[in-house]
Amino acid sequence: MRERLRKFGRQLHPDKTRLIEFGRYAAGRRKKRREGQPETFNFLGFTRIGGRSREKGYFTVYRKTIGKRMAAKLKDIRQKLRQLRRRSQRSRWTWTRFQQRLGALLPLVEILHPWPNERFAAKHPR
């Protein structure tokens, strides 16, 4: 793993790197030992969680945004909004005004699914 990351100019932090039980059989093994759910881990901005798919129950890895980063971003946005508007200032915000004031705080939205229109059309035929 160290060589693979070094190939991309990355390195492992010795204090943060450790082996955990994770994968397809981790939940069953931990249940036999009465240790509870398998651990999660943070990597490249996401918390990785082992779980089961809804349809057939196959093992899959779920990703969630790291909680600390999400909370910090929401706190930053909340603080910015409180500076801009008070109760007595009831004027309406247009989208352009919102973008001018808070556009730099919000991350760009990116569609990750390659064919979102086809999937939508399959579920909602006209």
Side-chain angles (χ1 to χ4, degrees), residues 22-62:
F22 189 84
R24 183 176 177 184
Y25 303 108
R29 290 181 189 144
R30 290 179 67 91
K31 190 174 184 180
K32 282 182 184 178
R33 294 191 308 256
R34 297 180 184 177
E35 291 182 350
Q37 295 291 326
E39 293 183 65
T40 62
F41 62 95
N42 296 329
F43 187 66
L44 297 177
F46 291 97
T47 300
R48 313 295 172 147
I49 306 164
R52 300 258 171 217
S53 66
R54 287 187 180 195
E55 286 185 18
K56 299 198 178 189
Y58 295 141
F59 174 77
T60 187
V61 177
Y62 292 103

Side-chain angles (χ1 to χ4, degrees), residues 70-81:
M70 178 74 86
K73 180 59 77 176
L74 290 174
K75 189 175 182 180
D76 192 25
I77 290 172
R78 188 180 307 120
Q79 181 183 7
K80 198 74 152 166
L81 283 171

